[in-house]
């Protein structure tokens, strides 16, 4: 990998022959687990300015219509998470000379509070080409990490590392983003949002409804002082194409009774064998990817595929020695006369991928000049712990990228599109809805991670009788299975909420994933606990999950800080009121400064006497409150009703929906225009 320093540049063609499509990743580590930043991309012309506001891409405008830019969102890593951006350089308009990649913080936060700031770039084959680390961020609230720029017929990368004290406003103004007072447009957005929520209960066209979305102004101007002259620029609404989502409230059925089953596009009742499930799942998924461009592009952009016309195929026969091979599917994308091809191998119902089978497809892809091999299964891939050990022949000039996708990730992306972000038309929304119904059906075999593995029972028994020793390889298997389960819960909860849900990794800078898992394994052997933390966008704190294998109890908890103003008794009463609909067995603990713990009790006991939450000594400073909900843990390794996986999933969802949603939200995250105006 090419290491960059501030101000250096390099031609992408000198690093790879497959750099027409690249993925840029920005990452950082938060010591507290709560720090974050927003990525943004600006397309600039020869004058160093955006042509219009539409050349500014951020979390509210994540995809270019021509497919040249797509913000892929956050992906968990071993030390935190990273934001990935896909660039199809062949689709960048000819009038664009530079592409700026930046990130900004909000609510007065600076990048100096984060560690290990870096940017990496990989080519279309998944090979890491370059890395640029920023060690001197200081107190700046926005940073340009780097830029892609044209030189003749080729693209080059420059490591910039320039900071801005004026946050997003200063960065945007430098590049000509239209700055105007757009309060009326913001107000219109709120009206549209409220009306669309009310319209969800109206009668929609076949199982979907149209929902108008308005994009707020990107960056507002500072209000003119009284001595400024000249006409005030009229506020103009920022509109976007109408998007279609499914309604939140289901329409009343016309069936006589519940025994009438609705006709489905993808039937599942006829599936009798694992082979039937694999063939059907592959065909269903690939057909929807080809027919719903937003969905197909969302899945393949992360694999380095260009934006273009997509066709998908199943059961293709390819020569390989004496015996032809038949991968489950093929994805092919055509762009500007060039083809991008990926072979697809699918497993369902918890079946494991076969290394020799996947290796054969990698060899075939390399020999035929294909770009990628994609595996699909119930398992969730982890860094440093590959599901399949595949060898890539480094002597070959053509390199093949190897990617894995879990069924939980497919479900998450489909749900995000039709529940929260919207797609192009009603037919696309209906197809995604049918895909979701298929994936979630008990007979599809596409339910995501569903087995804690063969080591689960021996490890649990070893903890019970205190015979489990540090260094036991079976304990490491359980820790990796736990991590996969947590990743899947993040996908499931995030898809339902339409918000980012990510595991918190409090790892030290540069920590090796195997070393971190080894420490977690030792902890499991010592105290019999599996632990994890989730950061949920909009939640007032980190959601902690603990599975105590000794007691068979699951604990979900959240710590909320005490208000900065007011009286402790007022805080206690307000908290009790907010938890009016929470479970009576919710445990509440008052956190106090300099002590291990303060008063505690169940919500049922504290409701009539909120003052019991306060320390007897009025001089003791209250720092916050910890809310915890306990549940019995499932024992079996599978995903049955009595299984461990189902019990953890149910416990997390119950805690969030009955407790966390009722809590006061943190200071609202400002929109881009608000954030820039105050920066």
């Amino acid at each position: 990998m090419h290491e960059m320093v501030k101000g250096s540049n390099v031609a992408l063609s000198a690093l790879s022959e497959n750099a027409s499509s690249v993925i840029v990743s920005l990452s950082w580590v938060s010591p507290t687990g709560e720090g974050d930043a927003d990525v943004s991309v600006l397309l600039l012309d020869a004058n160093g300015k955006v042509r219009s506001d539409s050349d500014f891409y951020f979390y509210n405008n994540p995809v270019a219509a021509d497919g040249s830019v797509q913000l892929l969102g956050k992906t968990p890593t071993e030390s935190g998470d990273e934001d990935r951006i896909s660039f199809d350089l062949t689709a960048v308009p000819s009038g664009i000379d530079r592409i700026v990649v930046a990130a900004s913080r909000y609510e007065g936060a600076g990048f100096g509070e984060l560690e290990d700031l870096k940017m990496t770039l990989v080519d279309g084959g998944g090979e890491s080409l370059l890395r640029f680390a920023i060690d001197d961020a200081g107190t700046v609230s926005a940073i340009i990490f780097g830029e892609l720029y044209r030189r003749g017929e080729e693209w080059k990368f420059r490591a910039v590392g320039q900071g801005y004290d004026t946050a997003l406003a200063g960065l945007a103004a430098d590049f000509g983003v239209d700055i105007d007072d757009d309060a009326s447009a913001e107000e219109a957005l709120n009206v549209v949002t409220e009306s669309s929520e009310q319209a969800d209960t109206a009668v929609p066209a076949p199982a979907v409804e149209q929902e108008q979305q308005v994009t707020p102004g990107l960056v507002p101007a500072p209000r003119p002082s009284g001595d400024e002259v000249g006409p005030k620029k009229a506020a103009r609404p920022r509109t976007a194409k109408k998007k279609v989502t499914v309604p939140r409230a289901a329409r009343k059925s016309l069936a006589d009774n519940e025994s009438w089953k609705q006709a489905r596009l993808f039937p599942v009742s006829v599936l009798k064998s694992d082979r039937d499930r694999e063939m059907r799942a592959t065909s269903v998924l690939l057909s929807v990817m080809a027919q719903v461009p937003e969905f197909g592009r969302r899945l393949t952009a992360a694999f380095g595929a260009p934006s273009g016309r997509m066709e998908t195929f199943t059961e293709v026969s390819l020569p390989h020695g004496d015996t032809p091979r038949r991968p489950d599917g093929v994805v092919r994308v055509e762009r500007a006369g060039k083809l991008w091809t990926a072979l697809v191998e699918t497993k369902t119902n918890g079946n494991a991928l076969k290394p020799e089978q996947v290796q054969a497809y990698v060899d075939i892809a390399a020999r035929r000049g294909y770009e990628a091999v994609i595996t699909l299964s119930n398992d969730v891939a982890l860094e440093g712990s590959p599901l399949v050990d595949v060898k890539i022949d480094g002597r070959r000039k053509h390199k093949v990228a190897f990617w894995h996708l879990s069924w939980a990730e497919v479900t998450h992306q489909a749900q995000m599109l039709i529940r929260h972000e919207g797609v192009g038309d009603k037919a696309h929304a209906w197809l995604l809805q049918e895909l979701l119904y298929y994936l979630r059906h008990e007979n599809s075999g596409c339910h995501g991670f569903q087995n804690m593995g063969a080591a689960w029972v021996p490890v649990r028994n070893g903890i019970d009788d205190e015979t489990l020793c540090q260094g036991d390889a079976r304990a490491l298997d359980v820790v990796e299975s736990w991590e996969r389960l947590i990743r899947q819960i993040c996908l499931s909860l995030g898809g339902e909420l339409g918000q980012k849900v990510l595991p918190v990794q409090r790892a030290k800078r540069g920590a090796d994933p195997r070393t971190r898992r080894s420490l977690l394994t030792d902890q499991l052997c010592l105290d019999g606990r599996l632990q994890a933390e989730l950061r949920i966008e909009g939640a007032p704190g980190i959601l902690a999950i603990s599975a105590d294998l000794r007691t068979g109890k699951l604990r979900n908890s959240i710590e909320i800080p005490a208000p900065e103003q007011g009286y402790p008794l007022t805080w206690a009463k307000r908290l009790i009121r907010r938890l009016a609909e929470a479970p009576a067995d919710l445990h509440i603990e008052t956190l106090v400064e300099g002590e291990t713990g303060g008063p505690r009790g169940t919500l049922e006991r504290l409701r009539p006497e909120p003052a019991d939450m306060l320390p007897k000594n009025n001089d003791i400073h209250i720092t916050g409150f910890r809310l915890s909900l306990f549940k019995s843990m499932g024992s079996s390794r599978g995903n049955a009703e009595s299984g461990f996986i189902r019990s953890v999933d149910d416990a997390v969802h119950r805690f969030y929906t009955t407790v966390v949603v009722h809590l006061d939200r943190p200071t609202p995250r400002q929109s881009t225009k608000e954030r820039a105006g105050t920066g």
Side-chain angles (χ1 to χ4, degrees):
M1 184 188 300
H2 188 71
E3 292 288 342
M4 306 287 290
V5 296
K6 189 174 182 177
S8 63
N9 63 79
V10 65
L12 298 185
S13 59
L15 303 177
S16 171
E17 296 181 353
N18 191 19
S20 59
S21 178
V22 298
I23 294 178
V24 170
S25 298
L26 305 185
S27 62
W28 39 79
V29 174
S30 171
T32 65
E34 300 185 46
D36 203 1
D38 290 329
V39 301
S40 54
V41 174
L42 299 103
L43 306 188
L44 310 180
D45 60 18
N47 298 317
K49 305 293 183 181
V50 295
R51 299 170 302 174
S52 68
D53 291 348
S54 61
D55 284 339
F56 183 26
Y57 298 96
F58 62 110
Y59 64 87
N60 270 347
N61 181 37
V63 182
D66 58 13
S68 59
V69 180
Q70 180 167 349
L71 273 61
L72 301 174
K74 295 186 183 297
T75 300
T77 65
E78 294 307 318
S79 57
D81 49 71
E82 65 182 16
D83 265 291
R84 296 186 300 162
I85 310 162
S86 170
F87 294 101
D88 183 355
L89 299 179
T90 64
V92 176
S94 58
I96 297 300
D97 276 17
R98 293 162 55 201
I99 302 173
V100 171
V101 180
S104 57
R105 303 206 68 191
Y106 39 90
E107 297 177 3
F111 276 94
E113 301 165 11
L114 303 177
E115 299 177 352
D116 201 17
L117 274 71
K118 65 177 181 290
M119 172 180 178
T120 57
L121 185 148
V122 303
D123 65 10
E127 181 180 0
S128 296
L129 302 185
L130 60 86
R131 177 182 182 273
F132 172 46
I134 299 177
D135 298 321
D136 54 350
T139 60
V140 298
S141 50
I143 292 181
I144 296 177
F145 279 72
E147 60 182 22
L148 296 159
Y149 63 99
R150 295 185 195 266
R151 276 296 179 267
E153 298 298 319
E154 70 175 2
W155 284 91
K156 302 184 75 174
F157 173 79
R158 179 183 290 113
V160 178
Q162 178 182 350
Y164 287 78
D165 290 324
T166 49
L168 192 61
L171 188 153
D174 265 12
F175 297 113
V177 174
D178 184 21
I179 301 178
D180 63 358
D181 186 358
D182 220 331
S184 60
E186 184 76 15
E187 193 174 315
L189 173 67
N190 296 333
V191 172
V192 170
T193 303
E194 291 172 5
S195 62
S196 66
E197 290 176 355
Q198 295 171 357
D200 282 336
T201 57
V203 178
V208 297
E209 68 173 17
Q210 286 204 330
E211 193 170 310
Q212 186 173 1
Q213 297 182 347
V214 181
T215 304
L218 299 179
V219 182
R223 294 192 177 276
S225 59
D227 58 350
E228 289 186 12
V229 294
K232 181 180 178 180
K233 189 174 180 180
R236 53 188 178 82
R238 314 297 176 90
T239 60
K241 291 183 179 180
K242 291 182 177 180
K243 294 288 187 178
V244 181
T245 58
V246 297
R248 293 184 180 89
R251 290 188 302 169
K252 183 179 179 181
S253 175
L254 301 180
D256 278 357
N257 54 63
E258 294 182 357
S259 66
W260 288 26
K261 300 299 181 183
Q262 187 176 3
R264 291 293 178 182
L265 182 64
F266 309 121
V268 289
S269 58
V270 296
L271 302 177
K272 303 299 183 184
S273 67
D274 287 342
R275 183 57 183 160
D276 288 343
R277 292 184 181 89
E278 289 175 10
M279 294 175 63
R280 178 67 59 83
T282 306
S283 183
V284 168
L285 174 61
L286 296 188
S287 64
V288 175
M289 286 174 59
Q291 296 304 315
V292 184
E294 303 97 324
F295 181 61
R297 177 63 182 153
R298 173 164 294 208
L299 292 182
T300 58
F303 303 147
S307 173
R309 182 173 66 94
M310 179 183 294
E311 288 190 15
T312 53
F313 310 87
T314 59
E315 295 297 306
V316 176
S317 180
L318 298 173
H320 183 66
D322 297 333
T323 306
R325 295 281 185 162
R326 298 172 66 90
D328 291 315
V330 176
V331 177
R332 175 159 278 180
V333 181
E334 187 268 340
R335 173 83 187 186
K338 296 182 179 180
L339 293 177
W340 180 92
T341 307
L343 304 182
V344 180
E345 172 62 13
T346 302
K347 294 296 179 184
T348 60
N349 218 32
N351 291 317
L353 294 162
K354 298 178 180 179
E356 68 280 0
Q357 196 174 34
V358 177
Q359 183 67 62
Y361 296 144
V362 170
D363 294 340
I364 292 172
R367 189 170 60 250
R368 298 179 68 88
Y370 296 161
E371 282 69 25
V373 171
I374 302 170
T375 55
L376 260 164
S377 74
N378 299 79
D379 276 325
V380 178
L382 301 178
E383 290 187 19
S385 180
L387 296 173
V388 179
D389 187 15
V390 174
K391 297 179 181 179
I392 306 295
D393 190 347
R395 297 171 298 176
R396 289 186 182 271
K397 185 177 181 180
H398 180 79
K399 296 181 180 179
V400 178
F402 178 57
W403 306 94
H404 179 75
L405 193 62
S406 74
W407 287 113
E409 292 173 273
V410 174
T411 300
H412 170 80
Q413 297 295 355
Q415 193 169 21
M416 289 295 293
L417 278 173
I418 68 168
R419 291 290 181 188
H420 308 290
E421 299 172 14
V423 290
D425 58 41
K426 298 176 184 178
H428 291 170
W430 179 69
L431 282 171
L432 285 176
Q433 193 173 20
E434 290 298 297
L435 171 65
L436 272 179
Y437 176 84
Y438 178 88
L439 295 176
R440 290 169 170 169
H441 194 280
E442 60 183 9
N443 199 33
S444 70
C446 304
H447 307 130
F449 179 73
Q450 56 184 2
N451 197 308
M452 290 295 291
W456 171 251
V457 173
V459 167
R460 196 190 67 212
N461 291 339
I463 290 173
D464 283 342
D465 55 28
E466 299 185 5
T467 58
L468 185 66
C469 300
Q470 287 182 264
D472 193 319
R474 295 173 300 180
L476 177 60
D477 290 343
V478 169
V479 166
E480 291 185 347
S481 294
W482 170 253
E483 189 173 342
R484 291 187 170 94
L485 173 58
I486 295 301
R487 295 277 179 95
Q488 179 165 289
I489 288 174
C490 288
L491 292 169
S492 174
L493 189 58
E496 292 178 13
L497 302 177
Q499 297 171 336
K500 298 171 187 173
V501 180
L502 294 166
V504 175
Q505 303 288 9
R506 302 183 188 273
K508 294 182 179 180
R509 177 184 298 196
D512 180 77
R514 288 167 294 187
T515 301
R516 184 183 63 82
R517 292 190 186 108
S518 178
L519 294 175
L520 293 175
T521 301
D522 290 343
Q523 180 183 353
L524 173 62
C525 296
L526 289 173
D527 61 20
R529 288 190 180 95
L530 293 166
Q531 301 186 68
E533 294 178 310
L534 307 184
R535 185 174 70 246
I536 304 174
E537 187 177 28
I542 298 295
L543 193 158
I545 309 168
S546 176
D548 192 328
L549 276 63
R550 285 196 172 115
T551 63
K553 292 289 186 181
L554 295 170
R555 174 176 180 163
N556 287 273
S557 61
I558 187 169
E559 293 185 11
I560 55 176
E564 296 180 359
Q565 298 179 345
Y567 298 97
L569 182 57
T570 303
W571 306 341
K573 289 180 177 179
R574 177 174 176 79
L575 180 59
I576 294 299
R577 286 197 302 269
R578 298 293 292 177
L579 296 171
E581 298 181 14
D585 59 346
L586 177 69
H587 286 238
I588 303 177
E589 178 185 357
T590 302
L591 305 177
V592 296
E593 191 173 51
E595 297 187 19
T596 56
R600 66 190 70 188
T602 64
L603 180 59
E604 182 178 32
R605 185 179 70 80
L606 295 172
R607 272 174 176 154
E609 292 294 340
D612 289 348
M613 295 169 58
L614 308 180
K616 301 300 182 182
N617 186 349
N618 294 333
D619 294 331
I620 295 178
H621 178 60
I622 296 175
T623 60
F625 302 93
R626 181 186 292 119
L627 312 180
S628 304
L629 204 56
F630 295 86
K631 181 183 185 298
S632 295
M633 184 181 84
S635 58
S636 63
R637 71 183 190 181
N639 196 33
E641 289 290 341
S642 60
F644 176 74
I645 292 175
R646 184 74 62 88
S647 66
V648 176
D649 187 66
D650 290 347
V652 172
H653 281 74
R654 178 174 179 253
F655 184 69
Y656 184 86
T657 57
T658 62
V659 178
V660 179
V661 294
H662 299 302
L663 301 175
D664 288 325
R665 309 327 257 172
T667 303
R669 171 172 162 168
Q670 294 174 308
S671 67
T672 305
K673 56 173 273 183
E674 291 171 332
R675 196 178 306 157
T678 59

